[in-house]
Amino acid sequence: MRGEGVLLSWRPIPGLCDDESAEIYRWNRARRRKTIVSLGGASFFASVSLAPAGNNNSDDKIQETFPRAEQLIKHPLALLALFPKDLALFSAGAIAGALSKTLTAPLDRVKLLMQTHGLRASGSKGIGLLEAITLIHKEEGIKGYWKGNLPQVIRIIPYSAVQLFAYEIYKKILSNEDGDLSVIGRLIAGACAGMTSTFVTYPLDVLRLRLAVEPGCRTLSQVAFNMLREEGIASFYCGLGPSLIGIAPYIAVNFCIFDLMKKSLPEKYQKRPETSLATALVSATVATLMCYPLDTVRRQMQMKGSPFNSVFDALPGIVERDGFLGLYRGFVPNALKSLPSSRFVFEF
C-alpha cells in the first residue's frame, strides 16, 4: 500500500440501485485526497470495501473486491447487504417482531389470564393485574410468564408474508385505470389484507391461547393433537368471527383519529417525529378502547368448552357474569404491551 495508495470501491447493493456500475476512487495518502478512477451511477446505498491498488497503473482495469470471511464474522449485519432490499427488510421486520413479542410476552400472558379467568374458574369473578402476576409466579415460576410465546413467534413470519402479499393484490383490485388508489381504497385494502392474514394464521393464535391459559398443556404438539382428537378441526377457528369483525373498525378508527389530530396541529409541528409518536399513541389507545370487547369475546370463545357460540351470545353472557368492566379485563397490560410499538407511518 505504501506509495501506491488504495482503491476505495462503492458496489451498489442489489435492489437498491438500478445502475450496476460502481464508483472507484484512488486515495492518495500523501496528498490526502481522492481521484476518481471510474465514475458510475449514484446510489445512496452501497457495499464499501478497501483493497491495495497494486502495481497496475491502468485506470481501465478495476480491481474487484469482496468482504473477507473474517470481516463478515466481525460484522455479521453486513451480510444483509448481499440480499435484495425487500428480503432484507422483511427479515429485519420478522426478527424485530419476534424480539418484541418475546420481550412483552409476560404482559400478554397476564392479559390472557385476566380475560379468561372468569370462564376457567367457574363461579369465580375475574382477577386483577397484581393477582394475575402473583398467580402465574406462584403456580409456574418465572418461566410461566413466557408460556405460550412459541406459537406467537412462529406466527409472525406467515402472518406478515400473507399480509404483504394480500395487500398488494387488494391494491391492484381496488386501483383505478391509472393505477391510483384513494385513501378509502387503501383502508379497505389494509383491512382485507389483515382479515386474510388473520384467517390463514388463526389456528396458531388459538393454540397460543390454549397453551397459555389451560392447565396441563405443556407442548404445542400436545395441545394441537388434543384439540384435533377431542374437538375436531373446527376448534382451530373458534372465535374467528369477532377477530375478523374487529379488524376493519380498528384500522379505520386508528387512521381517522391519527389523521384528524395531526391536521389539527399547527403546520410547524405536523412533521416533527414526537408529534407523530404522540398522535399514534392517542389514536391507538382510542381504537383499542373501542374494539377491545371483541378481543375479550374472541379469547373466551377460543377456550375449551366455551358456552359461547357467537358474538351475540358472548357479549351479554360476559356482562351478566362479570359486569360491563368484564369486557375490558386485561386492558391495562394490553396497553402497556401494544402502545409503545403503535407508531404508524401513513403514506398516501
Side-chain angles (χ1 to χ4, degrees), residues 116-126 303 305 307 321-322:
T116 60
H117 183 76
L119 188 60
R120 290 186 307 108
S122 181
S124 175
K125 290 290 184 180
M303 292 287 294
R321 187 187 66 235
D322 300 328

Side-chain angles (χ1 to χ4, degrees), residues 72 77 99 112 115 125 146-147 246 267 271 287 293:
L72 293 176
L77 289 178
L99 289 174
L112 294 176
Q115 283 182 310
K125 290 290 184 180
W146 278 269
K147 188 178 180 182
E267 188 174 352
K271 294 184 178 181

Side-chain angles (χ1 to χ4, degrees), residues 19-257:
D19 197 333
E20 296 298 328
S21 59
E23 294 181 6
I24 307 296
Y25 295 91
R26 186 185 301 280
W27 178 257
N28 190 310
R29 298 174 63 187
R31 298 184 180 181
R32 294 188 176 277
R33 69 179 184 182
K34 61 185 179 182
T35 304
I36 296 178
V37 176
S38 173
L39 179 60
S43 174
F44 291 105
F45 302 91
S47 173
V48 183
S49 57
L50 288 170
N55 297 322
N56 192 344
N57 295 323
S58 175
D59 292 337
D60 295 330
K61 185 177 180 180
I62 301 174
Q63 181 176 350
E64 294 293 335
T65 58
F66 193 81
R68 298 189 303 275
E70 56 267 27
Q71 291 177 315
L72 293 176
I73 293 173
K74 187 176 180 181
H75 303 286
L77 289 178
L79 287 170
L80 292 175
L82 305 178
F83 294 93
K85 179 188 69 172
D86 293 337
L87 178 60
L89 292 176
F90 181 81
S91 301
I95 294 171
L99 289 174
S100 174
K101 294 292 185 184
T102 302
L103 290 174
T104 59
L107 288 170
D108 204 50
R109 176 85 202 281
V110 169
K111 170 217 167 191
L112 294 176
L113 201 64
M114 292 175 67
Q115 283 182 310
T116 60
H117 183 76
L119 188 60
R120 290 186 307 108
S122 181
S124 175
K125 290 290 184 180
I127 58 175
L129 177 62
L130 295 179
E131 291 176 281
I133 294 173
T134 304
L135 182 63
I136 295 172
H137 186 269
K138 181 180 178 181
E139 294 182 351
E140 304 171 64
I142 295 296
K143 291 191 298 183
Y145 292 107
W146 278 269
K147 188 178 180 182
N149 186 55
L150 178 60
Q152 184 173 224
V153 171
I154 295 174
R155 184 176 178 238
I156 290 173
I157 293 178
Y159 183 91
S160 301
V162 172
Q163 188 176 44
L164 290 172
F165 181 72
Y167 182 64
E168 293 302 320
I169 292 177
Y170 290 126
K171 279 202 307 182
K172 291 179 181 179
I173 294 174
L174 296 170
S175 298
N176 58 26
E177 295 179 355
D178 298 328
D180 297 328
L181 190 63
S182 65
V183 174
I184 299 299
R186 288 182 183 271
L187 285 174
I188 295 174
C192 290
M195 291 180 185
T196 303
S197 55
T198 297
F199 177 80
V200 171
T201 61
Y202 194 76
L204 284 170
D205 191 54
V206 177
L207 288 172
R208 174 270 194 107
L209 176 97
R210 296 289 186 94
L211 189 61
V213 302
E214 290 188 359
C217 296
R218 294 185 178 181
T219 65
L220 189 61
S221 58
Q222 281 182 341
V223 178
F225 286 130
N226 288 340
M227 288 177 62
L228 193 61
R229 184 177 62 251
E230 299 174 7
E231 304 171 67
I233 196 169
S235 62
F236 289 92
Y237 285 92
C238 290
L240 178 63
S243 298
L244 299 180
I245 293 171
I247 291 173
Y250 180 87
I251 292 176
V253 171
N254 200 345
F255 169 77
C256 290
I257 294 176

